[in-house]
Amino acid sequence: MVGRKNKKAGPPPSVTWMPLGVLVLLVSAIFGTWWFVDRDWQRSTMRQVQLATNQAALRLQGFIDARLSATSSLGGGLSAELIEPDTFRIRSHALQDNFGGYQALNWVDADGNIQVVVPEELNQGAIGKNVLNNELAGTAFLAARELGEPRLTAPLDLFQGGRGMAAYTPVYTDTGELKGMLNSVFRLSDLVDQSLSAGILDHYDVSIYDNKSLVYSTPPPGIGSRHPVARASVQLLNRQWILQASPNDALWATLQAGQQHGIYWFGLGMAVISVWFMRLGALRSWQRRQNEYERQELKLELERASKMQALGRLAGGVAHDFNNILTSIVGNAELVRRQSSKELTQALATDIIASADRAASLTKDLMSFSAPTQDEMSEVAVNEQVLDLHRMLTRLVPESAELNYELSPDVELANCSQTQLGQILVNLVVNACDAMPDGGKLLITTNWRPQPPLNPRMEVEGSQDGWCVLSVQDQGLGMNKATLDRIFEPFYSTKERGSGLGLATVYGIVRSKNGTVEISSEVGEGTTFEVWLPAIPNRHQSDNAPPPAGLLNPTRKWCVLFVEDNSQVREAMARTLRHLGMQIEVAKDGLEALQRLIQSRDDASGPDGQPNFDIVITDAIMPRLSGPKLLTRMRAEGISLPVVIVSGYSEELANTTYSPESNVHVLAKPYQLEDLLRVLEVIAVREGGEVSDPSNAIS
């Protein structure tokens, strides 16, 4: 059974969509109102910040313009007389005392040499230096000399140390000859701090830029404001500054305190609670419908499980009866092949045995579908089997489709039989061809993977040897999610004449091998089936290879109790074993066999008080007393003879483990004579027996 689906009946619109719609409307109204109010508050706050920034810009510009104008006035007073250092110092001191904000006032000759500095004690290091040696100062000096008007430098490193700016005001004689220049030097931090000391921007983070070059910043550079930013322009002679201001955290917290967010959160909470109670009221009726739906689902699931169980029992019964027939056929054909000296007769008997083997493989597949957990370990060379099936696959693929292969050399053996792998591949190819009514490309690939898929559709156990992945990819119609959810259900088909058992068979085989089937599909994009099977390490010699010639038969004359309810099988195998020189006694069921064993033991003719038999070969399913129950009764009676249980299909063996160490062996019907003799050889070796060639008994 594929497993119970998780699909449930969805709640009606009155439960889901109407409450959600009401909630969306209420939330939209609340958030819409909040958005408009918040937007108005943001505009008002931005106007306040911009107003403060504009006022600060006007004050800064006025502060600096006043000092530049005072410097120009000082230059006009010096134009008519010779420049005496003492006179220059006296007037410069007076100017600085009246206005403040200067770093220095210097006299620079026409060649750019600094001759006098005021105040001298703070700027002594600048005397004698040439401003032309500084790129920024030299540019402003030359521009002022050429244009005959004051020029301001960009922010620069001062001769006196630190960052600042300098203004160059030309001074001419009455005849128009350049006497020199007044060089007013300002330290930027002092200049800005003094100009904005009136408290306009005390609660703002301020930055000033000159052509994208940072002039002044508080907080320090690199700490950007997270709040609204206002900008204003400050024109200083030939330079334009941009003053940028933003409320600091303290001011921003004060501004935000005026917002009334609480009322909106309260309204939102009330809306959610109201809609929640509305939905709870509607849920009651939906839950009643949902419970009814789940009851119907469980009923359908039980019907499907019962159908699969009945199908499994039918398949198991057919397989058991068919295996009995095959066992009789194989036994008689083996006897004919050994007795006849004619090559043709031997060849025909060999063909009969080979056909019976193929039929036995089909019954194994039938049993794997009916009881997938009871499969045994087998192995198949994946790439070789895919290539062997090529001729068959080409007959299945229509002319409008193109069949291609990509087989990885890393893929060797997988836990699967040849017949099962062929059944898997044929079903997947047929399914892919049906999905491509207009033709297309069909690609078969093999790969090896060290780990299973992350989220397999089926529960799998780890494989230390990795995984063989067989993939079938088509360019067909693809499948939707509803189809994918039911793809492995028995009797489910999207085809008009489909049986719905093809992919269910693939599922049963792969599940029996501890594998998984992964599917990727999109409507109109095609489908890819990936069959993951546990890999098996490649061995040079199979573990199931027959022992060397001459080691198949013991020297002693075996005394065998053969227990089988099917008369054809019982007579055929007894006849074959007698021709091998064995002493055979037969019993038609387990109860008769137990009585003979107890009687033989009571005669005390056997060694160590055991019955006078060497081995018991018993069928698994028999009337009155089955093979496994016969074994249990034997051990309870103290009978420790070796036992071979022969099974065509038995639910009683599903949860039972037998091993040669427990002196119990299991053979699957139909079996060849070599299979039985190989078991006898194992028993003989364990008991210390010798071997000889049994063919002498019938040749």
Side-chain angles (χ1 to χ4, degrees), residues 63-101:
F63 186 88
I64 298 175
D65 283 346
R67 279 137 189 84
L68 295 177
S69 298
T71 303
S72 298
S73 299
L74 177 61
L78 298 174
S79 62
E81 53 187 76
L82 296 176
I83 300 301
E84 294 292 338
D86 292 338
T87 304
F88 178 78
R89 291 189 184 93
I90 293 172
R91 294 187 178 182
S92 296
H93 276 298
L95 179 62
Q96 293 183 43
D97 291 340
N98 289 330
F99 286 91

Side-chain angles (χ1 to χ4, degrees), residues 338 546-555 674 677-678 680-681 684-685 689-696:
R338 288 177 174 269
L551 294 179
L552 292 176
N553 298 274
T555 57
E674 284 80 1
L677 295 179
R678 191 173 298 116
L680 296 181
E681 168 59 21
V685 171
E690 300 178 357
V691 295
S692 67
D693 188 356
S695 60
N696 297 329

Side-chain angles (χ1 to χ4, degrees), residues 400-402 404 431-443 472-478 521-528:
S400 59
E402 177 184 347
N404 296 307
N431 193 72
C433 294
D434 291 340
M436 297 190 297
D438 299 326
K441 292 184 178 180
L442 194 155
L443 178 62
V472 177
Q473 179 180 359
D474 65 62
Q475 296 179 332
L477 303 174
S521 182
E522 294 290 340
V523 176
E525 300 294 332
T527 302
T528 300

Side-chain angles (χ1 to χ4, degrees), residues 246-494:
S246 176
N248 60 20
D249 291 341
L251 177 58
W252 184 251
T254 302
L255 294 173
Q256 283 190 314
Q259 290 183 294
Q260 301 295 328
H261 292 299
I263 189 173
Y264 300 107
W265 288 113
F266 176 78
L268 180 61
M270 292 301 297
V272 172
I273 292 174
S274 300
V275 172
W276 178 254
F277 278 107
M278 181 189 302
R279 190 172 187 273
L280 284 179
L283 269 176
R284 293 183 179 179
S285 60
W286 172 79
Q287 286 176 345
R288 287 192 295 269
R289 293 181 57 187
Q290 184 67 15
N291 292 337
E292 179 63 25
Y293 173 81
E294 290 182 354
R295 282 193 294 270
Q296 293 296 326
E297 278 290 295
L298 290 173
K299 181 180 178 181
L300 292 175
E301 195 70 24
L302 181 61
E303 290 177 355
R304 284 193 290 267
S306 301
K307 185 185 298 182
M308 288 301 299
Q309 186 178 17
L311 182 61
R313 290 185 179 275
L314 175 62
V318 171
H320 178 263
D321 293 340
F322 195 56
N323 278 331
N324 281 333
I325 297 172
L326 291 177
T327 302
S328 177
I329 293 173
V330 170
N332 289 322
E334 183 68 35
L335 185 59
V336 170
R337 183 173 65 175
R338 288 177 174 269
Q339 283 187 311
S340 177
S341 59
K342 295 182 180 180
E343 294 184 359
L344 178 59
T345 302
Q346 292 179 351
L348 292 175
T350 301
D351 287 344
I352 292 173
I353 294 174
S355 298
D357 287 341
R358 288 193 292 272
S361 297
L362 293 177
T363 60
K364 281 187 177 182
D365 294 340
L366 189 61
M367 286 187 292
S368 71
F369 174 73
S370 62
T373 60
Q374 299 181 24
D375 206 2
E376 60 186 20
M377 176 68 72
S378 55
E379 59 185 41
V380 61
V382 177
N383 288 346
E384 295 179 9
Q385 181 65 9
V386 172
L387 295 177
D388 289 344
L389 292 170
H390 172 69
R391 182 176 297 179
M392 178 190 297
L393 297 179
T394 54
R395 297 192 187 102
L396 298 175
V397 177
E399 295 182 356
S400 59
E402 177 184 347
L403 178 61
N404 296 307
Y405 299 90
E406 292 182 5
L407 307 182
S408 171
D410 297 332
V411 177
E412 294 183 350
L413 302 179
N415 178 18
C416 192
S417 69
Q418 293 183 357
T419 304
Q420 289 171 328
L421 187 64
Q423 194 171 4
I424 291 172
L425 190 56
V426 167
N427 276 308
L428 293 181
V429 169
V430 170
N431 193 72
C433 294
D434 291 340
M436 297 190 297
D438 299 326
K441 292 184 178 180
L442 194 155
L443 178 62
I444 299 175
T445 63
T446 60
N447 287 286
W448 179 86
R449 295 287 183 269
Q451 299 294 333
L454 292 178
N455 297 301
R457 295 176 66 96
M458 311 176 192
E459 293 184 4
V460 296
E461 298 177 359
S463 173
Q464 61 181 0
D465 300 309
W467 299 81
C468 295
V469 183
L470 173 65
S471 173
V472 177
Q473 179 180 359
D474 65 62
Q475 296 179 332
L477 303 174
M479 294 179 283
N480 56 26
K481 186 177 183 304
T483 303
L484 285 174
D485 289 340
R486 303 185 60 189
I487 193 65
F488 291 124
E489 285 189 26
F491 312 110
Y492 174 76
S493 177
T494 58

